[in-house]
């Protein structure tokens, strides 16, 4: 089973992907995480991606498609995967589908996490992430047990560089202009499932499980 999580910044793609990864034992592939790792490693893709991500803009399609194609070749993708944040433009989706519509990498379902805009900003400014294991917290709704420390690995938590009101404004504009047309794209080919992601994390998770059954 190959799944896509589609949704605005802060809609819960990463949070729900981790839970679905644990349940179905299929690998979670976040293009945002891949880029952030590439930035840390100072690879050429990372250096290029940084100039876009810090401002809140999307990384060019050809760079993104290349890193996804490299990632799905790895052995851990054979049992299925969850794409978190890919495809994020119609050209990315067309390119991916034209390559994989008839192979085991074909996208089966697209879970669209629908959240009102005012909620997104609250989730983003309250998010803290673990740079070591990737766990994500919300300072009010899902705080770590010890403030500033990851429950899972004990590493210090940090704020993502693009989690500030200026970058968030650009991220939302990019989402509306370039990503939201994918709702129509996947709906037309009967792959889209819309989930009310305004609910709490567990309720959203239950709705997703229901949709995937
Ligand atoms: P990416 O890392 O994918 O960021 P994003 O799309 O902006 O989404 P976020 O990770 O901010 O939000 P999320 O939906 O994962 O929410 P989360 O679960 O953490 O991409 C970063 C950048 O990389 C992009 O801007 C772009 O530059 C580049 N990029 C990546 N992919 C690309 C692509 N395909 N093409 C081009 N460029 C690309 O939740 C957020 C917070 O809310 C957390 O604190 C969480 O605890 C809380 N929360 C979650 N669910 C709930 C709930 N139901 N109720 C209450 N709180 C909740
Ligand atoms: Mg995320």
């Amino acid at each position: 089973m190959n799944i896509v999580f589609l949704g605005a910044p802060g809609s819960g793609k990463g949070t729900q992907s981790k839970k679905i990864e644990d349940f179905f034992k299929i690998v979670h592939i976040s293009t945002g995480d891949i880029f952030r790792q590439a930035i840390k490693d100072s690879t050429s893709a990372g250096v290029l991606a940084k100039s876009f991500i810090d401002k809140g803009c999307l990384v060019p399609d050809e760079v993104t498609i290349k890193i996804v194609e490299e990632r799905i070749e790895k052995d851990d993708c054979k049992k299925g995967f969850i794409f978190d944040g890919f495809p994020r433009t119609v050209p990315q989706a067309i390119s991916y589908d034209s390559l994989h519509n008839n192979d085991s990498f074909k996208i089966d379902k697209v879970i669209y996490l629908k959240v009102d805009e005012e909620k997104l900003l609250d989730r983003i400014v309250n998010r803290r992430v673990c740079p070591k294991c990737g766990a994500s917290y919300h300072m009010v709704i899902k705080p770590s047990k010890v403030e500033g420390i990851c429950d899972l690995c004990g590493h210090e938590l940090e704020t993502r560089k693009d989690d500030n009101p200026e970058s968030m404004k650009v991220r939302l504009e990019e989402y509306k202009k370039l990503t939201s047309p994918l709702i129509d794209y996947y709906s037309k080919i009967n792959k889209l499932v819309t989930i009310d992601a305004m609910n709490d994390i567990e309720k959203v998770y239950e709705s997703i499980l229901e949709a995937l059954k």
Side-chain angles (χ1 to χ4, degrees), residues 13-15 30 33 36 84 127 160:
K13 302 184 294 294
T15 304
S30 155
D33 287 348
R36 282 183 287 276
D84 159 5
R127 175 168 53 188
R160 247 170 65 175

Side-chain angles (χ1 to χ4, degrees), residues 65 69 72 93-103 105:
I65 291 164
E69 289 300 323
I72 59 174
I94 291 174
S95 162
Y96 188 86
D97 287 347
S98 67
L99 285 169
H100 299 298
N101 232 349
N102 294 310
D103 67 20
F105 299 123

Side-chain angles (χ1 to χ4, degrees), residues 5-14 84-85 88 111-117 119-121 123-124 127 160 168 171-176 179-180 183 197:
F5 273 110
L6 173 65
S11 57
K13 302 184 294 294
D84 159 5
R88 204 181 283 227
I111 308 286
Y112 164 43
L113 300 176
K114 194 168 182 233
V115 180
D116 291 350
E117 202 170 311
K119 232 186 190 160
L120 297 172
L121 186 62
R123 289 187 186 178
I124 289 296
R127 175 168 53 188
R160 247 170 65 175
M168 185 58 180
R171 283 158 70 193
L172 274 174
E173 280 163 10
E174 293 276 270
Y175 172 76
K176 281 186 216 159
T179 308
S180 67
I183 297 166

Side-chain angles (χ1 to χ4, degrees), residues 16-206:
Q16 298 298 336
S17 292
K18 288 248 173 292
K19 292 171 86 65
I20 294 295
E21 176 179 44
D22 288 346
F23 187 85
F24 287 109
K25 308 289 177 226
I26 53 175
V27 68
H28 169 207
I29 301 175
S30 155
T31 38
D33 287 348
I34 295 175
F35 285 135
R36 282 183 287 276
Q37 188 59 48
I39 292 170
K40 270 193 196 148
D41 298 342
S42 299
T43 65
S44 54
V47 172
L48 184 117
K50 186 173 173 14
S51 59
F52 293 91
I53 293 179
D54 284 355
K55 283 183 281 183
C57 298
L58 293 187
V59 177
D61 288 339
E62 58 279 13
V63 180
T64 308
I65 291 164
K66 187 164 177 278
I67 63 141
V68 169
E69 289 300 323
E70 283 169 6
R71 181 64 186 84
I72 59 174
E73 285 304 326
K74 295 198 175 153
D75 279 351
D76 60 352
C77 291
K78 287 200 173 116
K79 284 190 203 146
F81 48 78
I82 305 155
F83 278 151
D84 159 5
F86 176 87
R88 204 181 283 227
T89 65
V90 171
Q92 285 179 19
I94 291 174
S95 162
Y96 188 86
D97 287 347
S98 67
L99 285 169
H100 299 298
N101 232 349
N102 294 310
D103 67 20
S104 60
F105 299 123
K106 179 166 78 74
I107 290 167
D108 298 304
K109 276 253 179 300
V110 177
I111 308 286
Y112 164 43
L113 300 176
K114 194 168 182 233
V115 180
D116 291 350
E117 202 170 311
E118 59 271 23
K119 232 186 190 160
L120 297 172
L121 186 62
D122 164 80
R123 289 187 186 178
I124 289 296
V125 296
N126 282 299
R127 175 168 53 188
R128 295 295 177 271
V129 291
C130 175
K132 194 171 170 211
C133 73
S136 170
Y137 301 87
H138 184 286
M139 298 232 289
V140 183
I141 294 163
K142 195 191 159 199
S144 55
K145 287 182 190 128
V146 178
E147 200 186 323
I149 301 294
C150 180
D151 291 351
L152 302 181
C153 72
H155 200 278
E156 220 167 292
L157 300 178
E158 60 182 38
T159 303
R160 247 170 65 175
K161 244 188 149 184
D162 57 347
D163 279 353
N164 58 73
E166 298 78 51
S167 298
M168 185 58 180
K169 188 166 173 272
V170 181
R171 283 158 70 193
L172 274 174
E173 280 163 10
E174 293 276 270
Y175 172 76
K176 281 186 216 159
K177 190 171 68 183
L178 298 167
T179 308
S180 67
L182 287 172
I183 297 166
D184 207 36
Y185 176 90
Y186 285 117
S187 176
K188 279 189 178 139
I189 52 174
N190 291 321
K191 291 193 176 174
L192 193 87
V193 180
T194 300
I195 300 287
D196 176 3
M198 297 283 284
N199 281 323
D200 65 47
I201 293 172
E202 284 310 315
K203 284 215 182 88
V204 175
Y205 175 57
E206 280 164 25

